[in-house]
Amino acid sequence: MTQADKHFSLRSPLLSPASPASSLGFGLLLGAQQHEEAMGHEEAIGHEFDGGRAAEVVAGLRQGFGSGRTRTYQWRAVQLKAIARMIDEKEEDIAAAIYDDLAKPRMESFLHEIIVAKEACLFALKNMKRWMKPKKVGTAILTFPSSAKTVPEPLGVVLIISAWNFPFLLSIEPVIGAISAGNAVVLKPSEVAPATSSFFAKFLPDYVDNSCIRVVEGSVPETIALLEQKWDKILYTGNGRIGRAVMAAASKHLTPVVLELGGKCPVVVDSDVDINIVAKRIAAGKWGCNNGQACIAPDYIITTKSFAPKLLDALKVTLEKFYGKDPLGSPDLSHIVNSKHFMRLINLLDDVSGSIVYGGQKDEKHLKIAPTLLLDVPHDSSMMEEEIFGPFLPIVTVDDLEQSFDILNSKEKPLAAYLFTKNKNIEQKFVNTVSAGGMLINDTILHFTNPRLPFGGVGESGIGSYHGKFSFDAFSHKKPVLRRNFNFIGEIPMRYPPYTPQKQTVLTGLMTGNVIPFVLALIKWPKGRQHHKA
C-alpha cells in the first residue's frame, strides 16, 4: 500500500453556491462555503477527493469491519497500545505541530492535549474488557422463566470531524472511543490547524490498521464528499452553524450524531470567596486555555456591583503575574488561529471599546491580542450575544447574586457553567436550576480532564457526550437479548388464543401482583375453559 493509498493530503478551492459538488442542498453548501471563507483557505493542491473517492474509502472500511476483526478485544487493544506508543514516540512532533498552528505554549499542549490523550488510551485499555462484557438485567413476570442481558456491539463505520482549537486531543480522543467500541473509523482533522492535520495524515497510518482506520485531510469539498456517504455515526466538534449542516446531512441516512458545539460559558462569582485563588483559576481557564479559544473557556463573569472592583483588581494583578507588563511578548500566550479570526475579534472589541478596563493591545502581524477585561458591556452587543472564542472577558454586574440565575436562564444552554462560592444554598440552586453541558464549582475547565465524567452539551451547546466509558457507549449499541428455554412451565395458556375471560382474569392478576391465579394456571388449566362458548 502506497502512502497515497493510506491517506489523502488535500487542499481544495472554495466552492461557489452554484457548484454541483454536493447533493446535500444549498443550505449546507452555503454554510460550508462561509465556514471556509472564515478560515481563509484559497489554494488547491493535491489529489481530487470527490464523492467517488469518499465512497471507495467507506467501502474499504466496511470490508474491514465486515471481516469481524474490529470486534475482538485483541484488535482494539493493539490499536490503542499503538496510539499510546505514537504519543510517546512523537510527543515532540505533536507539540511542534500544535505550536505551528496556534503558538500554544509547550506546557499547555502537554497538559491540555498530550497527557489527556494518552490517559484516554490507558483508561480505555484498563477498562475496555469490562466494558465489552454483556450485562445481566432483570426480567419481567410475563417472560418467566427467562434470562436477559444487554450486549454492547460496535455501530460499524463512523466519521469523526475534528476542531482546530485543540487539534490533537479533539481528533484522537474520539478515535480512541470509536476503536475501544470496535468500530472502523475515518478521522477528518481540521484544515484550520494544517500542521496537526498533516501530523495525523503522516504518522497515524504507520501505527494503526489502515484497513479499518483512515485519515482524510481537506477542507469544505472533502468534508461534503464525506458527509454524502452513509455512516453508522458521526461525531462533529465545532460551531452550531456547521453542526446543523452536519445534522442535516446525517438525516439523509438516519445517521445518529454526536455534536460537540459551544456557547457562552458563564462564571458566577460570589463575594465570600478567596479572591486571589478565584482570579488565578479564572485566568488559567480563560487565557491559559488557548488564549480563550476554547469551547469551555469562561465567556463572561457575573458578580455583584459591590464586588466587581475587587475582582477586577485581582484579575489585573494575576494577569500581570502570568504574562508580564507586555503580554503581547509573552511566550505563554497563544496567538489567534488566523487573520480572519483576528479581525472577527477586533470587530467585536471595537463595538464595545468604551467598556475596556484592562488590556486591549493587539499585534496583527503576529496575530496576538492581549488578555482584555471589560465592565458592563451592553447586553445587546455582539460580544454578549455571540460566543467570543478569544481573549476578551466581560464582567456583568448585578445588585444581588440571585439575579444571575435570571440572566443565565434567559440565555441558551452553555457547554459549561462555573460558580465560585462558599454558600451551599447558592451552590445547590446553581446545580438544580441552571442547565449546562457540564458544571464546575470553584474552578474552571478541569471537569474536562476527568474520564469518569461525560463531556457534552445540551440544547444549543450540543447533542450526546463522550470521554472514557461514555466514549465507548457513544460508539456502541447496547443490544438487548432475552433468552427462554423449551420448558413446559413457561407455556402459559393465557398467552395463546382463543382468548377467554378467565385468561384475562389471570393476566390482570399477574399485572397487579396477585400470584394466586398464576399459580393455579401452573398447576392445571381447566380444559373446559380453553375455548369460547359457541
Side-chain angles (χ1 to χ4, degrees):
M1 181 180 293
T2 66
Q3 196 70 4
D5 288 329
K6 287 183 179 179
H7 61 268
F8 306 97
S9 182
L10 307 161
R11 294 290 183 271
S12 299
L14 268 81
L15 291 176
S16 68
S19 170
S22 171
S23 62
L24 299 178
F26 179 77
L28 171 58
L29 188 59
L30 180 59
Q33 179 192 7
Q34 290 170 343
H35 173 67
E36 187 175 30
E37 287 172 349
M39 299 305 104
H41 288 284
E42 297 176 353
E43 294 184 3
I45 61 176
H47 305 286
E48 181 182 358
F49 185 86
D50 56 14
R53 293 292 295 278
E56 290 176 11
V57 170
V58 175
L61 291 175
R62 290 209 179 277
Q63 185 176 2
F65 178 76
S67 71
R69 62 180 171 276
T70 70
R71 293 176 177 269
T72 68
Y73 171 81
Q74 290 75 14
W75 182 89
R76 305 182 202 194
V78 166
Q79 308 311 308
L80 295 181
K81 288 176 182 176
I83 291 174
R85 189 171 71 254
M86 180 189 75
I87 294 171
D88 280 339
E89 295 175 356
K90 302 298 181 183
E91 181 179 320
E92 292 301 322
D93 298 272
I94 296 167
I98 297 172
Y99 185 84
D100 284 348
D101 289 328
L102 295 160
K104 188 178 289 190
R106 179 72 167 76
M107 180 65 75
E108 207 172 303
S109 296
F110 185 68
L111 288 176
H112 294 169
E113 302 207 47
I114 296 170
I115 282 183
V116 178
K118 185 176 179 181
E119 286 300 312
C121 260
L122 299 179
F123 188 81
L125 281 166
K126 180 180 178 181
N127 296 285
M128 186 170 58
K129 189 172 286 188
R130 176 169 51 86
W131 297 342
M132 293 173 64
K133 287 182 178 179
K135 181 179 180 181
K136 290 184 179 181
V137 299
T139 58
I141 188 66
L142 291 179
T143 64
F144 176 86
S146 65
S147 62
K149 61 185 176 181
T150 58
V151 179
E153 65 176 8
L155 294 174
V157 180
V158 302
L159 172 64
I160 293 167
I161 305 174
S162 184
W164 56 262
N165 56 327
F166 287 79
F168 183 75
L169 178 64
L170 296 183
S171 295
I172 201 63
E173 187 173 4
V175 170
I176 290 167
I179 291 171
S180 72
N183 297 276
V185 57
V186 166
L187 169 62
K188 165 60 181 67
S190 174
E191 70 277 12
V192 186
T196 310
S197 178
S198 295
F199 170 88
F200 282 115
K202 181 179 179 181
F203 292 114
L204 187 60
D206 294 335
Y207 286 86
V208 297
D209 179 356
N210 294 282
S211 68
C212 299
I213 303 166
R214 302 290 289 270
V215 178
V216 174
E217 284 194 281
S219 55
V220 173
E222 292 74 32
T223 304
I224 290 175
L226 289 170
L227 287 172
E228 287 180 326
Q229 311 309 311
K230 178 176 173 56
W231 304 92
D232 297 298
K233 195 151 197 177
I234 299 173
L235 186 148
Y236 165 78
T237 304
N239 65 57
R241 179 168 51 81
I242 303 301
R244 285 177 169 82
V246 170
M247 196 170 184
S251 69
K252 177 182 176 182
H253 300 290
L254 294 180
T255 300
V257 298
V258 174
L259 302 179
E260 296 297 340
L261 307 176
K264 296 186 71 63
C265 300
V267 184
V268 177
V269 183
D270 202 352
S271 58
D272 63 352
V273 296
D274 185 321
I275 196 167
N276 294 317
I277 292 178
V278 170
K280 287 190 293 186
R281 292 178 179 179
I282 291 176
K286 178 68 172 181
W287 299 282
C289 193
N290 208 23
N291 202 8
Q293 298 171 105
C295 54
I296 56 173
D299 198 272
Y300 64 101
I301 292 173
I302 303 177
T303 192
T304 60
K305 286 183 171 63
S306 60
F307 190 68
K310 299 175 185 177
L311 181 59
L312 270 171
D313 288 342
L315 285 168
K316 291 175 185 178
V317 170
T318 297
L319 287 171
E320 189 165 319
K321 286 181 180 178
F322 282 10
Y323 304 110
K325 294 184 180 296
D326 178 23
L328 296 181
S330 172
D332 297 320
L333 194 68
S334 301
H335 69 52
I336 306 307
V337 66
N338 58 32
S339 59
K340 298 292 182 180
H341 276 284
F342 182 91
M343 292 312 301
R344 177 187 66 83
L345 288 166
I346 293 305
N347 289 335
L348 281 181
L349 190 62
D350 287 345
D351 287 344
V352 292
S353 57
S355 299
I356 297 174
V357 292
Y358 179 84
Q361 305 96 318
K362 53 187 179 292
D363 178 353
E364 185 173 359
K365 180 181 178 181
H366 296 98
L367 298 178
K368 284 222 169 183
I369 303 176
T372 303
L373 299 170
L374 305 99
L375 184 62
D376 286 329
V377 174
H379 287 281
D380 59 353
S381 64
S382 295
M383 186 171 289
M384 290 307 298
E385 292 180 345
E386 300 175 10
E387 184 179 7
I388 294 171
F389 223 73
F392 312 143
L393 187 58
I395 298 176
V396 176
T397 61
V398 291
D399 294 322
D400 187 288
L401 204 65
E402 290 283 334
Q403 294 175 300
S404 65
F405 295 101
D406 294 331
I407 295 174
L408 298 177
N409 290 323
S410 70
K411 297 180 179 293
E412 296 290 352
K413 299 174 182 179
L415 186 58
Y418 306 111
L419 170 69
F420 288 89
T421 187
K422 294 179 180 177
N423 187 317
K424 293 297 182 181
N425 291 329
I426 292 289
E427 178 180 337
Q428 184 176 8
K429 184 173 182 180
F430 188 79
V431 172
N432 291 341
T433 65
V434 175
S435 183
M439 283 186 170
L440 186 53
I441 310 300
N442 295 329
D443 212 325
T444 60
I445 77 167
L446 290 182
H447 63 297
F448 178 85
T449 65
N450 187 340
R452 294 170 180 81
L453 288 174
F455 178 73
V458 59
E460 288 286 318
S461 59
I463 298 171
S465 61
Y466 70 110
H467 273 200
K469 173 67 159 51
F470 301 96
S471 294
F472 179 90
D473 291 341
F475 292 105
S476 298
H477 167 60
K478 286 187 172 62
K479 181 168 60 181
V481 178
L482 183 72
R483 187 180 188 280
R484 305 194 72 214
N485 292 323
F486 294 105
N487 192 318
F488 76 94
I489 295 178
E491 290 303 294
I492 305 301
M494 66 179 177
R495 177 184 175 188
Y496 304 113
Y499 304 122
T500 66
Q502 185 178 6
K503 288 183 178 181
Q504 185 170 341
T505 299
V506 172
L507 181 61
T508 301
L510 285 174
M511 299 303 293
T512 57
N514 185 357
V515 298
I516 294 177
F518 179 63
V519 173
L520 291 176
L522 291 178
I523 296 172
K524 183 178 180 182
W525 187 266
K527 294 182 178 180
R529 301 293 183 90
Q530 289 290 324
H531 304 284
H532 290 291
K533 291 181 179 180

mmCIF file with all atom_site columns, all heavy atoms in Angstrom, residues 27-47:
data_model
loop_
_atom_site.group_PDB
_atom_site.id
_atom_site.type_symbol
_atom_site.label_atom_id
_atom_site.label_alt_id
_atom_site.label_comp_id
_atom_site.label_asym_id
_atom_site.label_entity_id
_atom_site.label_seq_id
_atom_site.pdbx_PDB_ins_code
_atom_site.Cartn_x
_atom_site.Cartn_y
_atom_site.Cartn_z
_atom_site.occupancy
_atom_site.B_iso_or_equiv
_atom_site.pdbx_formal_charge
_atom_site.auth_seq_id
_atom_site.auth_comp_id
_atom_site.auth_asym_id
_atom_site.auth_atom_id
_atom_site.pdbx_PDB_model_num
ATOM 1   N N   . GLY A 1 27 ? -28.325 24.961 1.400  1.00 0.00 ? 27 GLY A N   1
ATOM 2   C CA  . GLY A 1 27 ? -28.054 25.453 2.750  1.00 0.00 ? 27 GLY A CA  1
ATOM 3   C C   . GLY A 1 27 ? -26.754 24.913 3.300  1.00 0.00 ? 27 GLY A C   1
ATOM 4   O O   . GLY A 1 27 ? -25.943 25.653 3.854  1.00 0.00 ? 27 GLY A O   1
ATOM 5   N N   . LEU A 1 28 ? -26.529 23.602 3.146  1.00 0.00 ? 28 LEU A N   1
ATOM 6   C CA  . LEU A 1 28 ? -25.279 23.011 3.619  1.00 0.00 ? 28 LEU A CA  1
ATOM 7   C C   . LEU A 1 28 ? -24.094 23.579 2.857  1.00 0.00 ? 28 LEU A C   1
ATOM 8   O O   . LEU A 1 28 ? -23.071 23.921 3.428  1.00 0.00 ? 28 LEU A O   1
ATOM 9   C CB  . LEU A 1 28 ? -25.331 21.490 3.449  1.00 0.00 ? 28 LEU A CB  1
ATOM 10  C CG  . LEU A 1 28 ? -24.024 20.735 3.694  1.00 0.00 ? 28 LEU A CG  1
ATOM 11  C CD1 . LEU A 1 28 ? -23.518 21.000 5.099  1.00 0.00 ? 28 LEU A CD1 1
ATOM 12  C CD2 . LEU A 1 28 ? -24.209 19.248 3.455  1.00 0.00 ? 28 LEU A CD2 1
ATOM 13  N N   . LEU A 1 29 ? -24.239 23.680 1.526  1.00 0.00 ? 29 LEU A N   1
ATOM 14  C CA  . LEU A 1 29 ? -23.134 24.156 0.705  1.00 0.00 ? 29 LEU A CA  1
ATOM 15  C C   . LEU A 1 29 ? -22.765 25.585 1.056  1.00 0.00 ? 29 LEU A C   1
ATOM 16  O O   . LEU A 1 29 ? -21.596 25.927 1.219  1.00 0.00 ? 29 LEU A O   1
ATOM 17  C CB  . LEU A 1 29 ? -23.530 24.071 -0.777 1.00 0.00 ? 29 LEU A CB  1
ATOM 18  C CG  . LEU A 1 29 ? -22.431 24.356 -1.793 1.00 0.00 ? 29 LEU A CG  1
ATOM 19  C CD1 . LEU A 1 29 ? -21.287 23.387 -1.605 1.00 0.00 ? 29 LEU A CD1 1
ATOM 20  C CD2 . LEU A 1 29 ? -22.991 24.241 -3.199 1.00 0.00 ? 29 LEU A CD2 1
ATOM 21  N N   . LEU A 1 30 ? -23.789 26.435 1.217  1.00 0.00 ? 30 LEU A N   1
ATOM 22  C CA  . LEU A 1 30 ? -23.524 27.828 1.557  1.00 0.00 ? 30 LEU A CA  1
ATOM 23  C C   . LEU A 1 30 ? -22.890 27.935 2.928  1.00 0.00 ? 30 LEU A C   1
ATOM 24  O O   . LEU A 1 30 ? -21.925 28.674 3.138  1.00 0.00 ? 30 LEU A O   1
ATOM 25  C CB  . LEU A 1 30 ? -24.833 28.632 1.515  1.00 0.00 ? 30 LEU A CB  1
ATOM 26  C CG  . LEU A 1 30 ? -24.712 30.120 1.855  1.00 0.00 ? 30 LEU A CG  1
ATOM 27  C CD1 . LEU A 1 30 ? -23.752 30.807 0.887  1.00 0.00 ? 30 LEU A CD1 1
ATOM 28  C CD2 . LEU A 1 30 ? -26.068 30.785 1.818  1.00 0.00 ? 30 LEU A CD2 1
ATOM 29  N N   . GLY A 1 31 ? -23.419 27.135 3.907  1.00 0.00 ? 31 GLY A N   1
ATOM 30  C CA  . GLY A 1 31 ? -22.830 27.178 5.243  1.00 0.00 ? 31 GLY A CA  1
ATOM 31  C C   . GLY A 1 31 ? -21.392 26.729 5.228  1.00 0.00 ? 31 GLY A C   1
ATOM 32  O O   . GLY A 1 31 ? -20.522 27.325 5.858  1.00 0.00 ? 31 GLY A O   1
ATOM 33  N N   . ALA A 1 32 ? -21.100 25.680 4.478  1.00 0.00 ? 32 ALA A N   1
ATOM 34  C CA  . ALA A 1 32 ? -19.730 25.196 4.396  1.00 0.00 ? 32 ALA A CA  1
ATOM 35  C C   . ALA A 1 32 ? -18.831 26.202 3.699  1.00 0.00 ? 32 ALA A C   1
ATOM 36  O O   . ALA A 1 32 ? -17.684 26.413 4.095  1.00 0.00 ? 32 ALA A O   1
ATOM 37  C CB  . ALA A 1 32 ? -19.700 23.859 3.646  1.00 0.00 ? 32 ALA A CB  1
ATOM 38  N N   . GLN A 1 33 ? -19.362 26.868 2.667  1.00 0.00 ? 33 GLN A N   1
ATOM 39  C CA  . GLN A 1 33 ? -18.562 27.864 1.968  1.00 0.00 ? 33 GLN A CA  1
ATOM 40  C C   . GLN A 1 33 ? -18.216 29.017 2.902  1.00 0.00 ? 33 GLN A C   1
ATOM 41  O O   . GLN A 1 33 ? -17.073 29.478 2.960  1.00 0.00 ? 33 GLN A O   1
ATOM 42  C CB  . GLN A 1 33 ? -19.325 28.401 0.761  1.00 0.00 ? 33 GLN A CB  1
ATOM 43  C CG  . GLN A 1 33 ? -18.523 29.472 0.000  1.00 0.00 ? 33 GLN A CG  1
ATOM 44  C CD  . GLN A 1 33 ? -19.381 30.213 -1.003 1.00 0.00 ? 33 GLN A CD  1
ATOM 45  O OE1 . GLN A 1 33 ? -20.583 30.026 -1.045 1.00 0.00 ? 33 GLN A OE1 1
ATOM 46  N NE2 . GLN A 1 33 ? -18.764 31.048 -1.801 1.00 0.00 ? 33 GLN A NE2 1
ATOM 47  N N   . GLN A 1 34 ? -19.208 29.482 3.670  1.00 0.00 ? 34 GLN A N   1
ATOM 48  C CA  . GLN A 1 34 ? -18.943 30.574 4.613  1.00 0.00 ? 34 GLN A CA  1
ATOM 49  C C   . GLN A 1 34 ? -17.909 30.146 5.637  1.00 0.00 ? 34 GLN A C   1
ATOM 50  O O   . GLN A 1 34 ? -17.057 30.928 6.036  1.00 0.00 ? 34 GLN A O   1
ATOM 51  C CB  . GLN A 1 34 ? -20.253 30.965 5.306  1.00 0.00 ? 34 GLN A CB  1
ATOM 52  C CG  . GLN A 1 34 ? -21.232 31.659 4.361  1.00 0.00 ? 34 GLN A CG  1
ATOM 53  C CD  . GLN A 1 34 ? -22.590 31.816 5.015  1.00 0.00 ? 34 GLN A CD  1
ATOM 54  O OE1 . GLN A 1 34 ? -22.909 31.178 6.004  1.00 0.00 ? 34 GLN A OE1 1
ATOM 55  N NE2 . GLN A 1 34 ? -23.404 32.691 4.441  1.00 0.00 ? 34 GLN A NE2 1
ATOM 56  N N   . HIS A 1 35 ? -17.982 28.879 6.061  1.00 0.00 ? 35 HIS A N   1
ATOM 57  C CA  . HIS A 1 35 ? -17.000 28.367 7.018  1.00 0.00 ? 35 HIS A CA  1
ATOM 58  C C   . HIS A 1 35 ? -15.596 28.439 6.417  1.00 0.00 ? 35 HIS A C   1
ATOM 59  O O   . HIS A 1 35 ? -14.661 28.897 7.061  1.00 0.00 ? 35 HIS A O   1
ATOM 60  C CB  . HIS A 1 35 ? -17.350 26.923 7.375  1.00 0.00 ? 35 HIS A CB  1
ATOM 61  C CG  . HIS A 1 35 ? -16.314 26.244 8.211  1.00 0.00 ? 35 HIS A CG  1
ATOM 62  N ND1 . HIS A 1 35 ? -16.038 26.621 9.487  1.00 0.00 ? 35 HIS A ND1 1
ATOM 63  C CD2 . HIS A 1 35 ? -15.481 25.208 7.934  1.00 0.00 ? 35 HIS A CD2 1
ATOM 64  C CE1 . HIS A 1 35 ? -15.094 25.856 9.985  1.00 0.00 ? 35 HIS A CE1 1
ATOM 65  N NE2 . HIS A 1 35 ? -14.730 24.991 9.051  1.00 0.00 ? 35 HIS A NE2 1
ATOM 66  N N   . GLU A 1 36 ? -15.447 28.018 5.168  1.00 0.00 ? 36 GLU A N   1
ATOM 67  C CA  . GLU A 1 36 ? -14.122 28.028 4.580  1.00 0.00 ? 36 GLU A CA  1
ATOM 68  C C   . GLU A 1 36 ? -13.640 29.459 4.370  1.00 0.00 ? 36 GLU A C   1
ATOM 69  O O   . GLU A 1 36 ? -12.468 29.765 4.556  1.00 0.00 ? 36 GLU A O   1
ATOM 70  C CB  . GLU A 1 36 ? -14.125 27.271 3.246  1.00 0.00 ? 36 GLU A CB  1
ATOM 71  C CG  . GLU A 1 36 ? -12.716 27.118 2.693  1.00 0.00 ? 36 GLU A CG  1
ATOM 72  C CD  . GLU A 1 36 ? -12.666 26.267 1.446  1.00 0.00 ? 36 GLU A CD  1
ATOM 73  O OE1 . GLU A 1 36 ? -13.635 26.247 0.695  1.00 0.00 ? 36 GLU A OE1 1
ATOM 74  O OE2 . GLU A 1 36 ? -11.620 25.636 1.237  1.00 0.00 ? 36 GLU A OE2 1
ATOM 75  N N   . GLU A 1 37 ? -14.547 30.366 3.982  1.00 0.00 ? 37 GLU A N   1
ATOM 76  C CA  . GLU A 1 37 ? -14.150 31.760 3.833  1.00 0.00 ? 37 GLU A CA  1
ATOM 77  C C   . GLU A 1 37 ? -13.621 32.312 5.146  1.00 0.00 ? 37 GLU A C   1
ATOM 78  O O   . GLU A 1 37 ? -12.633 33.044 5.193  1.00 0.00 ? 37 GLU A O   1
ATOM 79  C CB  . GLU A 1 37 ? -15.344 32.582 3.352  1.00 0.00 ? 37 GLU A CB  1
ATOM 80  C CG  . GLU A 1 37 ? -15.689 32.333 1.883  1.00 0.00 ? 37 GLU A CG  1
ATOM 81  C CD  . GLU A 1 37 ? -16.982 33.022 1.500  1.00 0.00 ? 37 GLU A CD  1
ATOM 82  O OE1 . GLU A 1 37 ? -17.696 33.494 2.408  1.00 0.00 ? 37 GLU A OE1 1
ATOM 83  O OE2 . GLU A 1 37 ? -17.274 33.099 0.299  1.00 0.00 ? 37 GLU A OE2 1
ATOM 84  N N   . ALA A 1 38 ? -14.285 31.929 6.229  1.00 0.00 ? 38 ALA A N   1
ATOM 85  C CA  . ALA A 1 38 ? -13.839 32.397 7.542  1.00 0.00 ? 38 ALA A CA  1
ATOM 86  C C   . ALA A 1 38 ? -12.459 31.854 7.889  1.00 0.00 ? 38 ALA A C   1
ATOM 87  O O   . ALA A 1 38 ? -11.669 32.493 8.564  1.00 0.00 ? 38 ALA A O   1
ATOM 88  C CB  . ALA A 1 38 ? -14.843 31.979 8.617  1.00 0.00 ? 38 ALA A CB  1
ATOM 89  N N   . MET A 1 39 ? -12.164 30.673 7.386  1.00 0.00 ? 39 MET A N   1
ATOM 90  C CA  . MET A 1 39 ? -10.883 30.055 7.693  1.00 0.00 ? 39 MET A CA  1
ATOM 91  C C   . MET A 1 39 ? -9.763  30.532 6.765  1.00 0.00 ? 39 MET A C   1
ATOM 92  O O   . MET A 1 39 ? -8.597  30.358 7.033  1.00 0.00 ? 39 MET A O   1
ATOM 93  C CB  . MET A 1 39 ? -10.985 28.525 7.604  1.00 0.00 ? 39 MET A CB  1
ATOM 94  C CG  . MET A 1 39 ? -11.995 27.929 8.577  1.00 0.00 ? 39 MET A CG  1
ATOM 95  S SD  . MET A 1 39 ? -11.710 28.387 10.289 1.00 0.00 ? 39 MET A SD  1
ATOM 96  C CE  . MET A 1 39 ? -12.966 29.603 10.549 1.00 0.00 ? 39 MET A CE  1
ATOM 97  N N   . GLY A 1 40 ? -10.113 31.086 5.618  1.00 0.00 ? 40 GLY A N   1
ATOM 98  C CA  . GLY A 1 40 ? -9.121  31.693 4.754  1.00 0.00 ? 40 GLY A CA  1
ATOM 99  C C   . GLY A 1 40 ? -8.370  30.748 3.849  1.00 0.00 ? 40 GLY A C   1
ATOM 100 O O   . GLY A 1 40 ? -7.238  31.008 3.469  1.00 0.00 ? 40 GLY A O   1
ATOM 101 N N   . HIS A 1 41 ? -8.963  29.626 3.424  1.00 0.00 ? 41 HIS A N   1
ATOM 102 C CA  . HIS A 1 41 ? -8.288  28.710 2.516  1.00 0.00 ? 41 HIS A CA  1
ATOM 103 C C   . HIS A 1 41 ? -8.624  29.056 1.079  1.00 0.00 ? 41 HIS A C   1
ATOM 104 O O   . HIS A 1 41 ? -9.780  29.224 0.723  1.00 0.00 ? 41 HIS A O   1
ATOM 105 C CB  . HIS A 1 41 ? -8.703  27.265 2.817  1.00 0.00 ? 41 HIS A CB  1
ATOM 106 C CG  . HIS A 1 41 ? -8.105  26.780 4.086  1.00 0.00 ? 41 HIS A CG  1
ATOM 107 N ND1 . HIS A 1 41 ? -6.796  26.412 4.210  1.00 0.00 ? 41 HIS A ND1 1
ATOM 108 C CD2 . HIS A 1 41 ? -8.646  26.647 5.319  1.00 0.00 ? 41 HIS A CD2 1
ATOM 109 C CE1 . HIS A 1 41 ? -6.556  26.047 5.450  1.00 0.00 ? 41 HIS A CE1 1
ATOM 110 N NE2 . HIS A 1 41 ? -7.660  26.192 6.138  1.00 0.00 ? 41 HIS A NE2 1
ATOM 111 N N   . GLU A 1 42 ? -7.585  29.118 0.215  1.00 0.00 ? 42 GLU A N   1
ATOM 112 C CA  . GLU A 1 42 ? -7.823  29.518 -1.148 1.00 0.00 ? 42 GLU A CA  1
ATOM 113 C C   . GLU A 1 42 ? -7.111  28.637 -2.173 1.00 0.00 ? 42 GLU A C   1
ATOM 114 O O   . GLU A 1 42 ? -7.508  28.570 -3.325 1.00 0.00 ? 42 GLU A O   1
ATOM 115 C CB  . GLU A 1 42 ? -7.369  30.970 -1.347 1.00 0.00 ? 42 GLU A CB  1
ATOM 116 C CG  . GLU A 1 42 ? -8.169  31.953 -0.476 1.00 0.00 ? 42 GLU A CG  1
ATOM 117 C CD  . GLU A 1 42 ? -7.649  33.366 -0.610 1.00 0.00 ? 42 GLU A CD  1
ATOM 118 O OE1 . GLU A 1 42 ? -6.615  33.545 -1.268 1.00 0.00 ? 42 GLU A OE1 1
ATOM 119 O OE2 . GLU A 1 42 ? -8.279  34.273 -0.081 1.00 0.00 ? 42 GLU A OE2 1
ATOM 120 N N   . GLU A 1 43 ? -6.029  27.965 -1.765 1.00 0.00 ? 43 GLU A N   1
ATOM 121 C CA  . GLU A 1 43 ? -5.240  27.216 -2.735 1.00 0.00 ? 43 GLU A CA  1
ATOM 122 C C   . GLU A 1 43 ? -5.815  25.828 -2.956 1.00 0.00 ? 43 GLU A C   1
ATOM 123 O O   . GLU A 1 43 ? -6.466  25.251 -2.103 1.00 0.00 ? 43 GLU A O   1
ATOM 124 C CB  . GLU A 1 43 ? -3.791  27.100 -2.249 1.00 0.00 ? 43 GLU A CB  1
ATOM 125 C CG  . GLU A 1 43 ? -3.074  28.443 -2.187 1.00 0.00 ? 43 GLU A CG  1
ATOM 126 C CD  . GLU A 1 43 ? -1.625  28.269 -1.799 1.00 0.00 ? 43 GLU A CD  1
ATOM 127 O OE1 . GLU A 1 43 ? -1.195  27.113 -1.652 1.00 0.00 ? 43 GLU A OE1 1
ATOM 128 O OE2 . GLU A 1 43 ? -0.932  29.281 -1.675 1.00 0.00 ? 43 GLU A OE2 1
ATOM 129 N N   . ALA A 1 44 ? -5.550  25.303 -4.168 1.00 0.00 ? 44 ALA A N   1
ATOM 130 C CA  . ALA A 1 44 ? -5.984  23.950 -4.494 1.00 0.00 ? 44 ALA A CA  1
ATOM 131 C C   . ALA A 1 44 ? -4.756  23.139 -4.861 1.00 0.00 ? 44 ALA A C   1
ATOM 132 O O   . ALA A 1 44 ? -4.143  23.380 -5.885 1.00 0.00 ? 44 ALA A O   1
ATOM 133 C CB  . ALA A 1 44 ? -6.966  23.966 -5.655 1.00 0.00 ? 44 ALA A CB  1
ATOM 134 N N   . ILE A 1 45 ? -4.384  22.200 -3.990 1.00 0.00 ? 45 ILE A N   1
ATOM 135 C CA  . ILE A 1 45 ? -3.256  21.340 -4.309 1.00 0.00 ? 45 ILE A CA  1
ATOM 136 C C   . ILE A 1 45 ? -3.614  19.915 -3.927 1.00 0.00 ? 45 ILE A C   1
ATOM 137 O O   . ILE A 1 45 ? -4.571  19.672 -3.195 1.00 0.00 ? 45 ILE A O   1
ATOM 138 C CB  . ILE A 1 45 ? -1.973  21.776 -3.562 1.00 0.00 ? 45 ILE A CB  1
ATOM 139 C CG1 . ILE A 1 45 ? -2.190  21.703 -2.047 1.00 0.00 ? 45 ILE A CG1 1
ATOM 140 C CG2 . ILE A 1 45 ? -1.559  23.164 -3.962 1.00 0.00 ? 45 ILE A CG2 1
ATOM 141 C CD1 . ILE A 1 45 ? -0.942  22.012 -1.254 1.00 0.00 ? 45 ILE A CD1 1
ATOM 142 N N   . GLY A 1 46 ? -2.849  18.981 -4.414 1.00 0.00 ? 46 GLY A N   1
ATOM 143 C CA  . GLY A 1 46 ? -3.074  17.597 -4.055 1.00 0.00 ? 46 GLY A CA  1
ATOM 144 C C   . GLY A 1 46 ? -4.060  16.916 -4.978 1.00 0.00 ? 46 GLY A C   1
ATOM 145 O O   . GLY A 1 46 ? -4.401  17.394 -6.045 1.00 0.00 ? 46 GLY A O   1
ATOM 146 N N   . HIS A 1 47 ? -4.555  15.759 -4.552 1.00 0.00 ? 47 HIS A N   1
ATOM 147 C CA  . HIS A 1 47 ? -5.424  14.940 -5.374 1.00 0.00 ? 47 HIS A CA  1
ATOM 148 C C   . HIS A 1 47 ? -6.874  15.377 -5.209 1.00 0.00 ? 47 HIS A C   1
ATOM 149 O O   . HIS A 1 47 ? -7.284  15.872 -4.181 1.00 0.00 ? 47 HIS A O   1
ATOM 150 C CB  . HIS A 1 47 ? -5.289  13.472 -4.957 1.00 0.00 ? 47 HIS A CB  1
ATOM 151 C CG  . HIS A 1 47 ? -3.881  12.975 -4.996 1.00 0.00 ? 47 HIS A CG  1
ATOM 152 N ND1 . HIS A 1 47 ? -3.229  12.699 -6.159 1.00 0.00 ? 47 HIS A ND1 1
ATOM 153 C CD2 . HIS A 1 47 ? -2.997  12.710 -3.996 1.00 0.00 ? 47 HIS A CD2 1
ATOM 154 C CE1 . HIS A 1 47 ? -2.006  12.265 -5.892 1.00 0.00 ? 47 HIS A CE1 1
ATOM 155 N NE2 . HIS A 1 47 ? -1.847  12.279 -4.586 1.00 0.00 ? 47 HIS A NE2 1
#
